[in-house]
Amino acid sequence: MIPARVPRVLRMGPARLTAGLDHCRRLDLPAHRTLHGLVEPRELGELISYANEVDMRGRGGAAFPFARKLRAVADATGPGGECVVLVNGAEGEPASSKDAMLLTRNPHLVLDGAVLAAEALGAREVVVATAGGEVAEASVAAAVAERRAANVSGGAESRVPIRVVGIKERFISGEGGALVKAVNGEEGIPPGRKKRAATSGVDGLPTLLSNTETYAQFALLAEYGPEKYAEVGTAKEPGTILLTVSGGAANGAVIEAPTGTYLADVLGLCEAEVGDGVLIGGYHGAWLSADVVETAVLSREGMKQAGATLGAGIIVPLGEATCALGEAARVAAYLAAESAGQCGPCRLGLPDIARAMYALVEGTGSVDAVRRCVRGVERRGACFHPDGTAKFVLSALDAFEIEIAQHLEHGSCGRPVRGVLPMPEREPEPEYRLEVDWSRCAGHGLCAHLLPEFVELDDYGFPSFNTIPGFMAKEARRAVDMCPALALRLAQSGGDHGGAPKPAPGKQLRLVKDGVLKKAGESVPRLTRVGIPRISGVGGTA
């Protein structure tokens, strides 16, 4: 049985990427070869010409021209040099399942495209990076084993080694720089400075990095040729696209459809209620109103005219039964928790946005306050995550204007938050706390300077602490190491106290106004944590 995470497959128009999946849960190598044959090696110039002729673009969201990537890697490699082909199967976007579907059910089509590019470039290897421990990783590993066992000769795949790498799945794990770092054995977060994989990627080599669906499309382009490939779709954007429909759809699915298909027809196929709007392009995407949905066309050009971007083909209708503003706040909280935490806009700005969104939900905030928070992160982050989050939030403010007015006037729109927008189910991230030896603390205040969002100083310069999320543990340890009085230690919340006696609830050692150390008799108020509300179903630090 196909896992619940990989939804069923539907199609509108001809079956290309999804051919054979009506009858097979997974296409093994013999079944794949029966459908698609053996892809013969091609010259790089011919493949670049093919990709240019149909204007093939990446299907991971950025829509970068694939021919330009091929040429850039070839130029960076040079005669006799080495390069790598990297398949980005790290689908960290909770609302997208198309790549997981391909890797799980049709992995050989993806491998055909990757090996075809690798052979043309003279690449050292193909690396397939996918979420570690998931069914997709096992399926690709099995596909590689099938190829080895078959001892295929004469095909492009027989001369290029294929390596499967499972990485930790997060929302930011699919960002190009983060993926390369993860494959290289580093922490899978975006680099602080933009690096082009085409010049320095896996092991520092020029790397052709593209999305799972892109390589599958590339294999089909080589199989069909440009003319046949362009028989479906629009003249400017030929071919088919994979769409993931979830949220308020009664029949969520991954759908293969020709470019130029009406969004309303796709929603009708999935029995989806539009409700207050439809999210296009995922959690860095934009909301479309019900009126716009009726005439919107699924293509890059069509989505641009509608005020959105097609992105990775994510379509999430809200339906009628949930609070649209509350759903948007859930996503804002999730995105804040999923950041790398390596720059101010992520560490401070995204939690501020989430808090401001929840204040709107409770009817105590204001749209202006949210917009001020958004301005604090736009174009200031170390990666695109803050800008993508800002785009989502601003779009929600515009799309849910009526709902916001209801919340501000009545405190609610009358509908509960049902959790319609998909969220990952994962174990809670570890949280930490700073503990202080008050017999040593001299009120230097350096800890508050190093961790301003988690340490507050009273009128006399002595600290009180808020819970520290896991992604800030490194900075918290730095504060411990730099304390001039050696008064701090870091402990995991819920963990042991290293043999130290645990204070009674509400009774902690603390310096008071007259400087006398009190052991009891003064109840220390628990400060509200600087962070975002914990919402059921939202993973990570909330």
Side-chain angles (χ1 to χ4, degrees), residues 79-426:
E82 283 190 326
C83 65
V84 173
V85 169
L86 176 57
V87 181
N88 187 351
E91 198 168 42
E93 167 71 67
S96 180
S97 297
K98 68 183 182 70
D99 290 343
M101 184 280 293
L102 278 174
L103 293 174
T104 301
R105 303 191 63 183
N106 202 1
H108 287 287
L109 188 62
V110 179
L111 294 180
D112 273 356
V115 171
L116 186 68
E119 186 70 14
L121 289 166
R124 183 186 72 183
E125 65 176 340
V126 168
V127 179
V128 183
T130 185
E134 298 289 344
V135 177
E137 182 188 16
S139 176
V140 178
V144 174
E146 288 168 8
R147 289 175 175 235
R148 290 172 182 161
N151 194 23
V152 179
S153 61
E157 71 270 24
S158 65
R159 295 189 292 274
V160 181
I162 303 172
R163 178 162 59 103
V164 182
V165 178
I167 67 172
K168 182 179 178 181
E169 185 179 26
R170 294 181 59 186
F171 184 85
I172 58 174
S173 59
E175 192 271 342
L179 187 75
V180 168
K181 289 180 68 175
V183 171
N184 286 337
E186 303 173 50
E187 185 180 3
I189 61 175
R193 183 173 297 178
K194 180 69 175 177
K195 284 187 176 181
R196 294 182 64 223
T199 56
S200 179
V202 176
D203 295 336
L205 298 174
T207 299
L208 179 67
L209 168 59
S210 207
N211 167 265
T212 297
E213 184 191 342
T214 310
Y215 286 108
Q217 294 279 6
F218 190 53
L220 291 176
L221 177 60
E223 177 186 345
Y224 294 148
E227 186 174 347
K228 183 177 179 181
Y229 183 89
E231 286 178 355
V232 299
T234 68
K236 290 185 178 180
E237 301 174 40
T240 63
I241 49 177
L242 286 180
L243 309 165
T244 306
V245 183
S246 60
N251 296 308
V254 171
I255 299 176
E256 183 177 16
T259 56
T261 300
Y262 281 102
L263 173 57
D265 291 341
V266 171
L267 294 174
L269 180 65
C270 295
E271 300 179 41
E273 293 180 345
V274 173
D276 290 320
V278 176
L279 179 64
I280 301 292
Y283 294 164
H284 280 175
W287 292 94
L288 298 183
S289 66
D291 293 339
V292 175
V293 166
E294 288 299 318
T295 58
V297 173
L298 290 168
S299 64
R300 294 191 306 273
E301 185 177 9
M303 286 294 99
K304 183 178 180 180
Q305 292 175 356
T309 55
L310 184 59
I314 296 166
I315 301 173
V316 190
L318 267 177
E320 302 285 353
T322 192
C323 169
L325 184 60
E327 294 285 351
R330 284 180 66 242
V331 173
Y334 165 75
L335 294 174
E338 284 294 292
S339 80
Q342 62 181 342
C343 66
C346 273
R347 286 171 52 181
L348 303 175
L350 297 189
D352 281 348
I353 290 175
R355 284 193 293 269
M357 287 291 287
Y358 274 110
L360 270 187
V361 174
E362 295 166 359
T364 59
S366 71
V367 172
D368 286 343
V370 177
R371 293 188 185 277
R372 281 196 300 272
C373 292
V374 168
R375 286 195 295 270
V377 306
E378 285 182 306
R379 297 180 297 280
R380 297 183 181 184
C383 69
F384 182 72
H385 185 57
D387 285 342
T389 303
K391 176 183 176 184
F392 170 87
V393 169
L394 291 176
S395 176
L397 295 183
D398 293 338
F400 307 139
E401 187 175 351
I402 296 176
E403 289 75 15
I404 291 172
Q406 292 174 337
H407 279 262
L408 291 177
E409 184 174 356
H410 305 293
S412 170
C413 64
R415 291 174 292 183
V417 180
R418 299 186 180 276
V420 169
L421 297 184
M423 291 288 179
E425 295 181 6
R426 46 180 75 164

Side-chain angles (χ1 to χ4, degrees), residues 31-44:
H32 171 74
R33 290 294 175 230
T34 299
L35 279 170
H36 298 284
L38 186 64
V39 180
E40 298 293 339
R42 307 290 180 89
E43 293 294 327
L44 179 63

